[in-house]
Amino acid sequence: MRVNRLFAILVVLFLWMGLWGWWTQREEREVPEPPLEEAPAPVLRWEGGARYEVAVQSDMFSGEAPDPAAPSALRLAGVLHLRVASADAESVTATLRFGPLTCEVFGQPAPEMAERLSVPFAVRFARDGRIDAVHLPEAIPEGERIVAEEALRAAEIVLSGDAAAWTALESHRTGEYEARYERGEGGTIRKRKIRYLDAASPVRVEVLSSDMTARLSSTVWLASAEGLEFLAASSGGAPLFRTRLAFSLREISGEPDLSAPPARAKPVSGTATPSPAPGAATSSPGGAASPSPVSGSGATSPSEAGRFTLLLDAFDRRDQERFEELLALLQADPELGAEVVARILDPRTEDALQAALVDLLGTSGTPEAQRFLLGLAENPVASSMNALRAVIALGGVASPTEEAQSGLWRLARAKGDERVEDLANTSLLALGVIAATLGTTGDPAAAEASRSIVDGLSEVLDGASGPELRVTLKAIGNTGNPAAAERVGAFLRAENPATRAAAATALRRMPGEAVETLLLATLAAENVPQVRGALVRSLGTREPDERIVSTLAASAQAEESPLVRGEMIRTLAKGSDRFPAVRETFQRMLDTETDPQNLELLRRFLSRTPSGP
């Protein structure tokens, strides 16, 4: 019991620094646009598997240094097993497991925590080494999920081809920060956190010191990594606490062991209910029992329903032909969607397959499929990830029903814990996409429904603040409704930089010369790099014209932020074939640019930009 109380204290402290910044910034994060040409291939090969000895020690304190007599807030030590499961041109999925693992919380052993974190899980890496996603079992409590993810991300290395030095923008639970990389002797790579971007919350994180040294593995990920960092958290100028994180990771010999640990004798509460056997009653999204599709109910014959079940049993998400066959059967008898939902809810179904099955329902897009997706989003048994997937799928259907729209509004207005808030924000964004879909059909009734959604989002905007305000701005931006541009544009004058950045992002889908004029005028007066970058990215989604090119060409060299200069270079490059000023600007920047990544962009674009009329 004492360990649980101590761990609760740790989670509360961690949430102050982690979840506030993560929650308030995750909607603002933009997915960087891919370069127009591929950068040199990174040296990570991602073959086979590896085992590591890993140790992580985390301390939180209020003074200048940790009290030597005080135990660590958290200590993890053990072996990390990693094996590559699949790889394509853009990403790599690896299966990992900690084991054996020991955990201590404030000096007290935490064996149940160690047991929970010893379950196999999956991680998706980008080809450059960036950790894109960590998929831990849903049964692991949120606080322990944070611990496990941060322990893994502590050793994150983001490569940039064969560059000698480079800068990367990275995200942890502690927020979004800039990291500086340098290649050293003996194949080492040194990483230092430079600064955290201003969090859109009362908490501000400052890098007191940060130093990490890593060596790449010849076959998989890293051969070794060790680091030490000190961070300080404050609110409104008042210090909150400081953290010290030390970690080490060293590759060891032996085959990785990805087998699950022995199951506990007692049942674990809170797990999802297995799907019923074929022929048993299944629960409809509304909660009423209905016959399983396998029993022959619905429009399809028993043989067709049986074939649907067989196809689901052998379904591989990469098999497009089988996907199309399942889709045809599902559209012929939409009630077969009940069996799809049952497979999604079955804890034995792999996460990647669950995602493919949600996509199957979304691609079908029938009224019944939308009903099943809405039921999945509202089903407390469904994982948080699948509920979000269902909402996103509803936002992408070709003919959204009134029932789906009403359900999304119900989710959007709900208040509650993190899962509920996450669904609410995602539902607002999905409603914006639906408004855009309805507004382009040419049907008067659909156009009226689109305007109704825009009006509803505007009403939410009136009473919103903080993260909800920024999400709602982007939801209105998703509608692409030019009539709402002026309302969104007013937030470009907001006091909070994160709100201004959200408004700039929202305007990227708003058409019209007036919006372009507003973006350019705001860029000239804006001083915060985070907001300037959002403005430039929104300008980059428009067709380059004389005004955009001349404004960015005039300000690119004087831009202090290398990240914003990179955005300007990418935006200008889109007009390189029609505007000679682009090449002239790139030539001048080549003589003054100091950032290695931007230099690489400039050289690449100059090598293909026409030198004459």
Side-chain angles (χ1 to χ4, degrees):
M1 181 67 68
R2 183 184 178 193
V3 171
N4 290 338
R5 288 199 300 270
L6 290 172
F7 185 68
I9 295 172
L10 168 68
V11 172
V12 170
L13 289 174
F14 210 110
L15 292 181
W16 263 88
M17 181 176 68
L19 289 186
W20 278 30
W22 169 68
W23 179 266
T24 53
Q25 283 193 12
R26 59 183 172 174
E27 293 91 2
E28 288 89 54
R29 292 186 190 129
E30 297 295 322
V31 179
E33 294 183 8
L36 300 185
E37 293 181 0
E38 291 189 2
V43 295
L44 292 174
R45 294 178 60 187
W46 296 109
E47 299 172 359
R51 296 173 71 239
Y52 299 94
E53 284 184 347
V54 59
V56 179
Q57 178 177 327
S58 176
D59 302 290
M60 293 185 180
F61 50 96
S62 56
E64 292 299 317
D67 182 353
S72 298
L74 175 74
R75 189 191 297 266
L76 301 179
V79 176
L80 175 65
H81 307 258
L82 181 153
R83 178 179 291 132
V84 174
S86 63
D88 55 33
E90 297 180 353
S91 64
V92 172
T93 298
T95 303
L96 292 86
R97 183 176 75 85
F98 288 107
L101 178 70
T102 59
C103 301
E104 291 183 3
V105 180
F106 291 107
Q108 298 294 315
E112 291 188 354
M113 175 182 173
E115 182 177 357
R116 285 190 292 267
L117 293 182
S118 297
V119 176
F121 61 99
V123 175
R124 187 177 72 246
F125 295 86
R127 278 285 179 174
D128 60 3
R130 186 186 302 273
I131 296 175
D132 281 342
V134 180
H135 300 289
L136 288 157
E138 289 289 331
I140 295 178
E142 178 64 17
E144 294 179 10
R145 298 168 73 86
I146 294 173
V147 168
E149 184 172 337
E150 287 300 294
L152 185 62
R153 288 184 182 273
E156 182 177 57
I157 288 288
V158 179
L159 300 178
S160 181
D162 296 323
W166 62 97
T167 301
L169 188 64
E170 300 179 42
S171 299
H172 283 199
R173 295 284 187 139
T174 44
E176 197 170 49
Y177 63 87
E178 288 184 37
R180 182 67 177 172
Y181 290 86
E182 297 175 356
R183 293 189 187 271
E185 297 181 357
T188 62
I189 295 177
R190 184 183 183 190
K191 172 184 177 179
R192 289 170 294 156
K193 290 183 179 179
I194 303 301
R195 68 183 181 94
Y196 275 81
L197 303 185
D198 289 341
S201 74
V203 177
R204 180 183 180 89
V205 181
E206 178 184 1
V207 180
L208 301 179
S209 65
S210 170
D211 201 356
M212 169 183 172
T213 302
R215 290 178 174 82
L216 302 181
S217 167
S218 61
T219 56
V220 193
W221 182 33
L222 304 177
S224 64
E226 57 184 9
L228 179 66
E229 71 172 29
F230 286 87
L231 303 177
S234 61
S235 177
L240 292 175
F241 53 84
R242 299 189 178 198
T243 67
R244 174 187 183 273
L245 175 69
F247 72 92
S248 65
L249 180 141
R250 180 176 66 88
E251 192 171 13
I252 57 179
S253 61
E255 281 293 312
D257 177 13
L258 278 305
S259 60
R264 292 172 61 90
K266 61 180 181 179
V268 180
S269 62
T271 56
T273 303
S275 61
T282 59
S283 177
S284 69
S290 61
S292 167
V294 181
S295 64
S297 64
T300 54
S301 66
S303 60
E304 289 174 319
R307 174 159 179 73
F308 187 81
T309 300
L310 291 173
L311 285 170
L312 280 178
D313 289 339
F315 181 49
D316 184 327
R317 64 189 180 92
R318 293 164 294 186
D319 189 338
Q320 187 62 31
E321 183 177 346
R322 186 160 291 168
F323 183 93
E324 297 292 341
E325 194 170 355
L326 280 168
L327 182 62
L329 288 169
L330 183 58
Q331 289 177 327
D333 182 3
E335 291 301 328
L336 288 174
E339 185 170 356
V340 178
V341 172
R343 297 299 180 99
I344 295 170
L345 295 176
D346 189 336
R348 296 167 296 184
T349 306
E350 294 182 355
D351 183 73
L353 183 54
Q354 292 174 11
L357 293 175
V358 174
D359 182 48
L360 178 67
L361 288 172
T363 304
S364 172
T366 62
E368 293 83 357
Q370 294 180 53
R371 175 165 51 86
F372 284 123
L373 287 169
L374 184 59
L376 183 62
E378 295 181 316
N379 191 332
V381 175
S383 69
S384 298
M385 182 61 70
N386 282 331
L388 290 173
R389 287 166 177 159
V391 169
I392 294 169
L394 280 171
V397 298
S399 301
T401 63
E402 292 184 11
E403 181 185 1
Q405 296 170 54
S406 297
L408 287 173
W409 274 120
R410 187 167 58 248
L411 289 168
R413 293 180 175 124
K415 303 294 181 184
D417 58 15
E418 180 182 340
R419 174 189 171 109
V420 173
E421 294 293 333
D422 219 358
L423 277 173
N425 288 335
T426 308
S427 297
L428 284 172
L429 296 170
L431 283 164
V433 176
I434 284 178
T437 301
L438 293 170
T440 57
T441 61
D443 177 67
E448 179 58 33
S450 176
R451 286 190 293 270
S452 177
I453 292 176
V454 175
D455 291 342
L457 292 172
S458 297
E459 290 178 7
V460 175
L461 197 63
D462 289 334
S465 61
E468 185 184 23
L469 170 62
R470 293 185 286 277
V471 171
T472 308
L473 283 170
K474 293 180 180 179
I476 295 177
N478 284 346
T479 70
N481 190 320
E486 184 176 353
R487 181 77 191 280
V488 172
F491 287 89
L492 290 173
R493 300 186 295 274
E495 182 179 352
N496 191 318
T499 301
R500 299 201 300 274
T505 301
L507 288 171
R508 64 168 51 195
R509 294 189 179 184
M510 300 288 193
E513 185 177 340
V515 174
E516 180 179 314
T517 299
L518 179 60
L519 290 169
L520 290 170
T522 306
L523 179 64
E526 179 59 61
N527 295 320
V528 178
Q530 174 191 2
V531 185
R532 290 177 62 80
L535 289 163
V536 174
R537 284 191 291 273
S538 287
L539 288 167
T541 62
R542 313 176 85 83
E543 183 68 22
D545 58 24
E546 187 67 44
R547 291 197 304 165
I548 293 176
V549 169
S550 60
T551 299
L552 297 186
S555 58
Q557 276 189 284
E559 175 61 51
E560 295 182 358
S561 168
L563 296 175
V564 179
R565 287 200 305 275
E567 297 289 353
M568 289 180 168
I569 291 169
R570 290 184 176 92
T571 299
L572 283 169
K574 295 175 182 177
S576 59
D577 294 337
R578 295 188 288 119
F579 298 99
V582 171
R583 182 176 181 84
E584 297 169 5
T585 300
F586 285 177
Q587 289 285 12
R588 289 194 301 269
M589 292 182 70
L590 199 61
D591 297 329
T592 59
E593 182 59 59
T594 57
D595 182 81
Q597 289 174 301
N598 289 344
L599 281 171
E600 184 178 341
L601 282 175
L602 289 168
R603 293 190 183 105
R604 194 184 325 147
F605 292 142
L606 280 171
S607 68
R608 64 180 208 178
T609 303
S611 57

